[in-house]
Amino acid sequence: MTHLFSDTEKLAWLRLIRSENVGPITFYRLLEQFGTASKALDALPELARKGGRKKKIAICSKSDAEREMTELAEIGAEVIVRDEDSYPPLLSHVEDAPPVLCARGHTHLLKKKAVAIVGARNATSNGCKFAGQIARDLGEGGLLVVSGLARGVDGAAHAAALESGTVGVQGGGVDVIYPRENASLYKEMTLRGCVIAEPKLGTKPQARHFPRRNRIISGMCRAIVVVEASPRSGSLITARMALEQGREVFAVPGSPLDPRAAGTNGLIREGAHLLENAQNIFYELESLKNTPLNERKYQYFQDVKTTLPGEKELTEARKVIVESLSISPVCVDEIIRQCQISASVVQTVLLELELAGHVERHPGNMVSSII
């Protein structure tokens, strides 16, 4: 069953994810703990203080969130939250899926079964041509083509799939054209396809944004195609994330003399599907293509009745839990076992530490110290 969000709820989700030290995993922990984004917002200052934060935590104001919603509407864009029907179905199952996406264009495309095509920015002409051919064939076969709106392979795939449907995932804000040379493609994407982004409007893309963008590309797709990639390229990060998310990975072989083929050849050695044509993809995905998606795992907790741990219990646990942390990620379940403290207490203390800026969450129920 799909949850219908009121404007007030959606605004609260936007405010919470735009607040300081609240990432996707922390966001969902807060919802589990407090039931709604509004209640979580009210709890942030006290949680951060108990976690050892000295200065006031920066909470996104209602006026700032309303301004962002207005500015999105002015450019024909909108906010989509994870539990809405228009949110990409496969992405909604990913542990650290963005609670909020900004979308500009034809958002109905986000519900289509999708395959990503990624590769080198400095791709060869043959690489771009091949990416375009695969994109056209996938589109004609009823699949959505997803990529990162970069130059090279990404741009070639998007351009070839405009007729059938394509979605670009931005590293910066949904309104920020990057690279500038893709300005005309970006415009076409907003008119005929769709552009989505996790960061707020106006965010200039930086290096740290692209791994986060890549997990969205892989997360919303059934398979990832890597056309050309050097051994340390972002495309290989996308492929690794795809494997962690249980997606199929396809790689196009290339000459061992071309460094842009080293990454794809390496993927094939490690077990990726060798890709010669789109039929390879259709063949591997046939069982998935004819099988409906599992029921959506909604993260809406409004009716949850949670009994929060008492302050005496939390006070006794804080020092023990802090001492169990290190800069190397450790599983939360291991902390619970090692400290012999209840899960609810451990999760509450970790939330306090996260919001104070002392702990970082990682996928796989892992945490690490950043102090």
Side-chain angles (χ1 to χ4, degrees):
M1 152 175 189
T2 301
H3 174 67
L4 298 177
F5 274 75
S6 67
D7 290 343
T8 301
E9 290 175 84
K10 190 174 285 193
L11 194 70
W13 273 54
L14 184 60
R15 288 184 62 199
L16 184 57
I17 194 57
R18 296 288 190 248
S19 295
E20 187 178 11
N21 293 337
V22 179
I25 298 176
T26 307
F27 181 99
Y28 299 123
R29 293 295 182 194
L30 286 164
L31 281 195
E32 289 176 8
Q33 190 93 323
F34 298 99
T36 68
S38 295
K39 291 178 181 177
L41 284 164
D42 292 339
L44 290 186
E46 185 65 6
L47 284 170
R49 186 190 66 77
K50 289 180 177 178
R53 186 177 179 86
K54 303 301 182 186
K55 64 179 183 178
K56 190 175 180 181
I57 188 170
I59 298 174
C60 178
S61 68
K62 184 178 178 182
S63 60
D64 283 347
E66 287 174 337
R67 186 180 306 112
E68 182 174 356
M69 298 274 271
T70 299
E71 291 173 352
L72 282 166
E74 287 172 350
I75 63 170
E78 62 182 285
V79 166
I80 300 173
V81 303
R82 182 178 179 175
D83 292 353
E84 287 188 293
D85 187 55
S86 52
Y87 194 92
L90 283 185
L91 183 60
S92 70
H93 293 263
V94 174
E95 181 186 8
D96 61 341
V100 169
L101 286 172
C102 299
R104 186 178 188 185
H106 297 281
T107 56
H108 71 274
L109 293 172
L110 299 175
K111 299 200 297 185
K112 289 185 66 176
K113 297 173 183 178
V115 171
I117 300 177
V118 298
R121 288 174 169 81
N122 62 335
T124 64
S125 58
N126 281 338
C128 289
K129 182 179 178 181
F130 187 79
Q133 185 60 58
I134 293 293
R136 272 188 295 273
D137 292 343
L138 291 176
E140 289 172 3
L143 294 174
L144 175 72
V145 172
V146 176
S147 196
L149 263 171
R151 62 174 64 92
V153 165
D154 290 22
H158 285 310
L162 280 168
E163 289 295 330
S164 56
T166 183
V167 169
V169 185
Q170 297 267 84
V174 74
D175 60 329
V176 177
I177 300 172
Y178 181 85
R180 293 301 306 179
E181 66 196 63
N182 276 354
S184 60
L185 175 61
Y186 174 91
K187 183 177 180 180
E188 284 294 304
M189 294 280 291
T190 61
L191 294 174
R192 301 164 66 189
C194 187
V195 178
I196 63 174
E198 181 178 17
K200 66 182 179 181
L201 277 174
T203 301
K204 305 297 182 185
Q206 299 176 20
R208 61 186 173 85
H209 293 143
F210 291 102
R212 297 185 59 76
R213 177 203 66 173
N214 294 346
R215 97 205 190 273
I216 299 174
I217 293 174
S218 58
M220 65 186 292
C221 295
R222 294 167 179 261
I224 313 298
V225 174
V226 185
V227 177
E228 291 179 341
S230 63
R232 298 181 64 183
S233 71
S235 299
L236 295 193
I237 295 175
T238 309
R240 175 179 57 77
M241 291 178 171
L243 290 171
E244 291 173 354
Q245 294 164 345
R247 311 308 194 234
E248 299 293 326
V249 175
F250 294 82
V252 179
S255 167
L257 300 178
D258 188 344
R260 286 167 291 198
T264 49
N265 290 345
L267 285 173
I268 294 168
R269 281 197 307 275
E270 293 167 8
H273 301 288
L274 186 152
L275 182 70
E276 296 176 301
N277 53 55
Q279 286 305 314
N280 300 150
I281 301 171
F282 289 124
Y283 176 81
E284 291 294 337
L285 298 187
E286 193 61 34
S287 59
L288 287 174
K289 193 166 182 281
N290 295 327
T291 303
L293 288 171
N294 292 330
E295 185 178 346
R296 294 277 292 275
K297 297 179 181 177
Y298 291 104
Q299 299 289 327
Y300 186 62
F301 300 102
Q302 178 134 16
D303 298 324
V304 172
K305 305 297 183 186
T306 304
T307 302
L308 300 180
E311 185 55 36
K312 182 176 184 295
E313 196 177 4
L314 291 170
T315 300
E316 293 171 351
R318 286 187 184 104
K319 184 178 180 182
V320 177
I321 293 171
V322 167
E323 289 175 349
S324 72
L325 298 170
S326 74
I327 58 173
S328 299
V330 60
C331 184
V332 174
D333 292 339
E334 181 58 32
I335 296 173
I336 294 169
R337 283 193 295 269
Q338 178 184 324
C339 298
Q340 293 294 297
I341 297 172
S342 72
S344 63
V345 171
V346 170
Q347 293 289 11
T348 299
V349 171
L350 289 176
L351 270 179
E352 293 173 350
L353 293 170
E354 288 173 78
L355 295 169
H358 299 323
V359 162
E360 182 178 4
R361 285 272 183 185
H362 308 275
N365 201 27
M366 308 284 280
V367 294
S368 62
S369 173
I370 52 177
I371 53 176

